[in-house]
Amino acid sequence: MGGQGDMAFTPRDWGWQPPALTPEYRTTVARAPANPLLRLPPTPSELSGPVFGHGDVAAGDNDLLHNHAAPGQSAIGERIILHGRVVDQDGRPVPGTLIEVWQANAGGRYRHRVDGYLAALDPNFAGCGRVLTGADGAYSFHTVKPGAYPWPNSANSWRPAHIHLSIFGTAFAQRLITQCYFQGDPLIPHCAIVRALPDPAARDRLVARLDLEATVPFDSVAYRFDIVLRGRAATVFENRPEGM
Amino acid sequence: MAERSDRLRETPSQTAGPYVHIGLAPTAAGIDGALADLGREIAGDAQGARITVSGRVIDGKGAPVADALIEVWQADAAGRYGAEGFRGWGRVIPDFETGEWRFDTIRPGSTGPGIAPHLTLWIVARGINIGLHTRLYFGDEGAANDADPVLALVPDGRRGTLIAAPDGPDAYRFDIHLQGEDETVFFDA
């Protein structure tokens, strides 16, 4: 079935989410709409969304160390577990939702036909994975910590180590793509993409924390990254002004 | 109308970046043998009139955005979302050189009294900090479009940006302008 069609969601907080135009991140200059978003009343088109199941995700799809590796091989790099929970704004778990991730390898090189960075590809690493959250909203990936990489923004721009995450939730209104960074990375405060977020607290929310308890001794360091999707509207929408 | 202070804040969005295909369309990225692509078929073999939609995403300088990724969400021919056996969701990526994309699906039914048939589209790309929601309405549904409550919210001069032009039999053309004179209407959904 197509999600919970009668549920309205809390409006997005546009002082917290990144604005479209953030000139320090140069590509936004020609790709940011100039008009404000038009506020939609809740309709079934956004209050429903696709449902994914075990036909879409195989066991092992969340193991990036091995899902592109030759038999007996694994990816090179710092072995990590990235895990956390997906909840809504009231802290309710979001079970059975699809999370997809993609990332560079340990040297900062992406397995993509348009990435020409001189760092080498790892023959045993593709950098993509997917998983469904469990009944408690929990998810986990096993991968390598990605490397920083340079990008043509300013004369000397480097992305911090990051993993891209795509999350569906139960409705298209909750659809979200984000990036998680790693605790203590000194590149984070210099990154124009991170700085697209106006609120320092929002930037901090994207930093995955070292999670010693979940670390597997003599195997993998663990990082925790929890995800919050829009929650049910606290009040009826109809009395709110349209537009923004 | 203050939010309760104990509510959590939504995870902040970040751009999908230039390599979004690795995660969401791995075959297009050039990756074989890790994960199968999801969302290549929107309607599968569901009943309904087959249609094709083509277009480009265009930036504020008039250049095609060849690294965009579009997701489509739609009702079935009877106007139902997520009906048994009908996913109604898919992913579309442009040609990496020309920026042209196209997808095949079925014409959606009206999802309620007075609601014109439409597709919901969500666009992400490098340089887009948070995914953009828009809608595609059909240019040959004039009377239904005139009555549609969402189109009625759109200022007259911009409504046409949401209406796909018929482009041959069972085909439509829908260019998405991120910025500029013909800027598409995007929604806070």
Side-chain angles (χ1 to χ4, degrees):
Chain A
M1 294 303 293
Q4 289 144 36
D6 57 350
M7 191 170 75
F9 289 94
T10 302
R12 279 209 153 113
D13 180 347
W14 294 103
W16 171 259
Q17 291 292 350
L21 177 61
T22 53
E24 187 192 359
Y25 174 19
R26 280 173 27 203
T27 315
T28 68
V29 172
R31 294 187 175 190
N35 288 281
L37 301 177
L38 186 69
R39 177 73 177 280
L40 265 186
T43 87
S45 305
E46 297 77 29
L47 302 183
S48 58
V51 173
F52 298 92
H54 293 285
D56 302 306
V57 180
D61 283 354
N62 64 338
D63 180 2
L64 285 70
L65 292 174
H66 297 106
N67 70 11
H68 192 69
Q73 302 291 303
S74 75
I76 292 172
E78 184 179 344
R79 295 162 62 92
I80 64 166
I81 292 163
L82 180 73
H83 77 118
R85 289 176 74 217
V86 181
V87 300
D88 71 14
Q89 289 179 272
D90 292 305
R92 296 184 186 94
V94 183
T97 200
L98 179 67
I99 304 180
E100 297 160 285
V101 296
W102 66 103
Q103 63 169 95
N105 69 23
R109 175 74 183 270
Y110 283 96
R111 185 173 288 280
H112 191 293
R113 56 189 195 152
V114 305
D115 185 6
Y117 180 35
L118 52 79
L121 285 170
D122 177 345
N124 293 305
F125 187 73
C128 50
R130 63 177 72 127
V131 75
L132 296 172
T133 56
D136 55 355
Y139 75 90
S140 179
F141 290 95
H142 207 183
T143 185
V144 295
K145 191 172 176 184
Y149 76 88
W151 60 301
N153 188 57
S154 69
N156 187 18
S157 293
W158 291 81
R159 296 299 326 281
H162 64 279
I163 295 176
H164 298 263
L165 298 99
S166 161
I167 310 105
F168 277 83
T170 57
F172 221 52
Q174 291 176 307
R175 191 79 181 85
L176 183 72
I177 282 180
T178 190
Q179 303 182 30
C180 86
Y181 305 97
F182 292 89
Q183 185 177 3
D185 186 339
L187 289 170
I188 294 171
H190 299 288
C191 177
I193 290 175
V194 175
R195 288 154 64 101
L197 295 165
D199 188 331
R203 300 174 188 178
D204 187 61
R205 274 281 302 280
L206 296 183
V207 178
R209 260 53 185 194
L210 175 66
D211 183 356
L212 272 180
E213 280 189 22
T215 289
V216 181
F218 302 101
D219 182 329
S220 301
V221 171
Y223 286 87
R224 171 117 191 176
F225 186 67
D226 292 325
I227 296 161
V228 179
L229 301 180
R230 291 168 68 185
R232 295 175 203 181
T235 51
V236 181
F237 266 58
E238 275 72 8
N239 296 328
R240 295 192 180 194
E242 296 292 344
M244 60 165 286
Chain B
M1 196 151 347
E3 293 290 331
R4 292 204 318 273
S5 60
D6 60 341
R7 298 194 92 206
L8 302 169
R9 302 183 93 162
E10 186 186 17
T11 295
S13 174
Q14 294 269 268
T15 180
Y19 305 121
V20 58
H21 316 92
I22 295 173
L24 305 192
T27 304
I31 297 168
D32 291 319
L35 301 175
D37 290 357
L38 295 178
R40 298 190 96 164
E41 290 203 348
I42 299 168
D45 55 5
Q47 290 193 331
R50 316 306 299 189
I51 59 169
T52 296
V53 180
S54 64
R56 293 186 303 166
V57 180
I58 299 164
D59 73 13
K61 297 173 181 162
V65 178
D67 53 9
L69 181 140
I70 302 168
E71 291 190 359
V72 181
W73 172 238
Q74 69 166 96
D76 70 4
R80 300 169 302 186
Y81 284 102
E84 188 72 33
F86 179 76
R87 176 161 275 172
W89 169 84
R91 283 180 174 145
V92 181
I93 58 168
D95 180 279
F96 285 174
E97 275 75 47
T98 65
E100 280 277 334
W101 47 259
R102 60 173 279 166
F103 60 88
D104 299 317
T105 185
I106 58 165
R107 178 187 281 273
S110 169
T111 57
I115 298 176
H118 61 274
L119 307 176
T120 294
L121 304 180
W122 188 70
I123 301 123
V124 296
R126 176 173 69 99
I128 296 177
N129 284 325
I130 185 165
L132 294 167
H133 288 263
T134 190
R135 287 185 176 196
L136 180 158
Y137 290 84
F138 298 93
D140 49 9
E141 294 274 3
N145 291 343
D146 287 345
D148 183 80
V150 167
L151 283 175
L153 296 173
V154 180
D156 288 345
R158 303 191 64 208
R159 203 169 292 146
T161 69
L162 300 180
I163 297 175
D167 184 32
D170 308 314
Y172 296 88
R173 181 79 191 173
F174 191 68
D175 287 331
I176 297 165
H177 293 265
L178 297 179
Q179 190 191 85
E181 203 174 322
D182 303 320
E183 184 175 304
T184 299
V185 171
F186 299 105
F187 294 105
D188 180 6

